[in-house]
């Protein structure tokens, strides 16, 4: 097993290299890069030659031919465009920029944000706990509910309980996570409190909340503003109060999939000969179910752990964090992609990929813990 894990660990850098290479290549063809973003901000601010304030150059004598390489650069001096390219590192060939970036990533040096005065690693450290917390709680609750419910549905297969719960599960699976999140806001937040962050400007009253509004559940953040002043029990209640709706919205689809997967896995095992033999020997139904069937049936459920966690982690990181104004890693990456802040985009992508690969190795270890008879090294041979 040790040799197998070592091989998997050695594959992580190769896989990450491929992920980063593909995305870096795609970015080269995407319009509206950081140079264009900077030009748009300068043009919008009206101070076209602000970058030359200390250069001593006279705007009236500068060549205003601009550059055809960047949208909106007409009328800007070529020296200014070249300075922007040097600032963002675009004065180097793409191949050199990529390998320099990957060399820095080996030491987790993600550089600094283009448009924020902070390093990318500090931003990731600040935002990552929010996404990890949401992903872990959602996955844990999905497993805690789905496994017992799936086992009960398998034991009572064809009953009214199985039929009604299957209908509810299929309905839950059909509802997208973001739509369920909005539904939770409608049901549990008064109308004069309801505001989706991405629609703040279009909503009556703008971004401000009604001070007399009573929120059944909060709309933003993982804690209240006075969290530090609360008692230990008050902090627990405040945290649960904030995390309830986001976790419910993140759990719904994973819960439905895991329940049906558990049920089908148990049904397949219950029909096998070793179960009939165990019953013929006089073992109780509980001992047959949890002493023999459980270990074999749970293998496929455990195999789905990385997919469930990564699905919740990625999906929640973007959609749920945006709807509930959670300041996490997914929302950071989304905002960086819109602003073409490439150091943040590639830094978050690297972290997401690394977490996914590590969770995959953890899944294989869980296989062995559930059933020590599994030998990955022998299977590979």
């Amino acid at each position: 097993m040790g040799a197998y894990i070592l091989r998997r660990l050695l594959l992580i850098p190769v896989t990450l290299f491929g992920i980063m290479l593909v995305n870096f290549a795609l970015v080269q063809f995407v319009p509206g890069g950081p140079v264009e973003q900077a030009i748009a901000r300068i043009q919008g601010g009206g101070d076209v030659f602000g970058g030359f304030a200390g250069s001593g150059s006279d705007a009236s004598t500068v060549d205003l031919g601009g550059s055809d390489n960047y949208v909106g650069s007409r009328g800007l001096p070529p020296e200014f465009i070249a300075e922007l390219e040097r600032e963002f590192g675009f004065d180097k060939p793409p191949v050199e920029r990529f390998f320099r970036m990957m060399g820095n990533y080996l030491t987790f040096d993600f550089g600094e944000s283009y448009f924020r005065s902070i390093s990318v690693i500090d931003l990731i450290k600040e935002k990552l706990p929010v996404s990890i917390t949401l992903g872990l709680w959602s996955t844990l609750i999905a497993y805690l509910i789905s496994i017992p419910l799936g086992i009960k549905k398998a034991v009572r297969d064809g009953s009214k309980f199985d039929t009604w719960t299957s209908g509810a599960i299929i309905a839950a699976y059909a509802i997208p996570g973001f739509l369920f999140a909005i539904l939770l806001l409608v049901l549990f937040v008064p109308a004069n409190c309801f505001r989706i962050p991405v629609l703040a400007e279009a909503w009556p009253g703008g971004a401000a909340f009604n001070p007399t509004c009573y929120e059944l559940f909060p709309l933003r953040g993982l804690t209240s503003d006075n969290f530090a002043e609360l008692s230990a029990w008050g902090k627990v209640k405040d945290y649960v109060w904030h995390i309830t709706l986001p976790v419910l919205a993140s759990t719904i689809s994973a819960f439905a999939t895991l329940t049906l997967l558990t049920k089908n896995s148990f049904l397949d095992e219950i029909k096998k000969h070793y179960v009939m033999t165990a019953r013929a020997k006089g073992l109780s139904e509980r001992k047959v179910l949890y002493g023999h069937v459980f270990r074999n049936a749970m293998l496929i459920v455990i195999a789905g752990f990385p997919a469930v966690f990564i699905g919740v982690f990625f999906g929640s990181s973007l959609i749920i964090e945006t709807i509930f104004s959670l300041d996490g890693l997914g929302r950071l990456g989304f905002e960086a992609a819109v602003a073409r802040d490439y150091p943040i985009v590639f830094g978050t992508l690297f972290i997401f990929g690394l977490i996914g690969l590590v969770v995959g190795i953890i899944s294989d270890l869980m296989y062995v813990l559930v059933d020590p008879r599994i030998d990955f090294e022998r299977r590979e041979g």
Side-chain angles (χ1 to χ4, degrees), residues 135 139 143 253-254 257-258 261 300-315 355-356 359-360 363:
T139 305
Y143 269 82
S253 59
T257 303
L258 278 173
L261 180 64
I300 190 172
V301 179
I302 291 175
F305 174 80
V308 174
F309 175 77
I310 294 301
V312 172
F313 184 64
F314 277 86
I355 291 176
V359 170
S363 174

Side-chain angles (χ1 to χ4, degrees), residues 8 306 309-310 313-314 351-361:
R8 289 290 301 272
F309 175 77
I310 294 301
F313 184 64
F314 277 86
I351 294 298
F352 274 129
L354 181 61
I355 291 176
L357 294 171
V358 171
V359 170
I361 297 177

Side-chain angles (χ1 to χ4, degrees), residues 330-345:
R331 189 181 178 191
L332 173 68
F334 172 73
E335 293 175 349
V338 172
R340 300 297 192 268
D341 198 339
Y342 291 147
I344 297 180
V345 172

Side-chain angles (χ1 to χ4, degrees), residues 80-156:
F80 179 71
I81 302 298
E83 181 63 28
L84 283 179
E85 290 179 334
R86 283 193 295 271
E87 180 181 349
F88 294 117
F90 282 82
D91 57 329
K92 304 290 192 302
V95 175
E96 181 181 345
R97 285 190 280 120
F98 174 74
F99 281 100
R100 179 177 295 181
M101 180 186 73
M102 294 305 299
N104 293 332
Y105 280 15
L106 293 177
T107 59
F108 290 91
D109 178 11
F110 301 115
E112 290 193 1
S113 168
Y114 285 158
F115 306 114
R116 307 188 189 192
S117 299
I118 187 173
S119 66
V120 176
I121 190 64
D122 289 337
L123 278 173
I124 291 177
K125 288 179 181 178
E126 179 184 346
K127 313 296 184 183
L128 184 59
V130 176
S131 300
I132 291 289
T133 298
L134 186 58
L136 285 178
W137 275 117
S138 301
T139 305
L140 178 62
I141 292 176
Y143 269 82
L144 290 177
I145 296 175
S146 300
I147 292 176
L149 180 60
I151 294 174
K152 189 172 184 178
K153 285 174 62 62
V155 173
R156 302 180 60 179

Side-chain angles (χ1 to χ4, degrees), residues 235-315:
K235 290 180 179 180
V236 172
K237 291 192 296 182
D238 182 77
Y239 177 77
V240 173
W241 185 49
H242 280 77
I243 203 70
T244 298
L245 293 187
V247 167
L248 284 177
S250 303
T251 304
I252 186 69
S253 59
F255 149 77
T257 303
L258 278 173
T259 301
L260 295 178
L261 180 64
T262 303
K263 175 193 172 182
N264 294 333
S265 179
F266 268 78
L267 282 177
D268 290 341
E269 291 297 324
I270 288 174
K271 297 176 182 178
K272 291 184 177 179
H273 291 293
Y274 75 90
V275 176
M276 293 185 289
T277 302
R279 287 171 175 167
K281 291 182 177 179
L283 295 179
S284 65
E285 190 66 21
R286 183 179 181 84
K287 193 166 185 178
V288 170
L289 194 62
Y290 292 99
H292 295 273
V293 177
F294 184 83
R295 172 180 292 182
N296 295 324
M298 286 303 296
L299 287 176
I300 190 172
V301 179
I302 291 175
F305 174 80
V308 174
F309 175 77
I310 294 301
V312 172
F313 184 64
F314 277 86

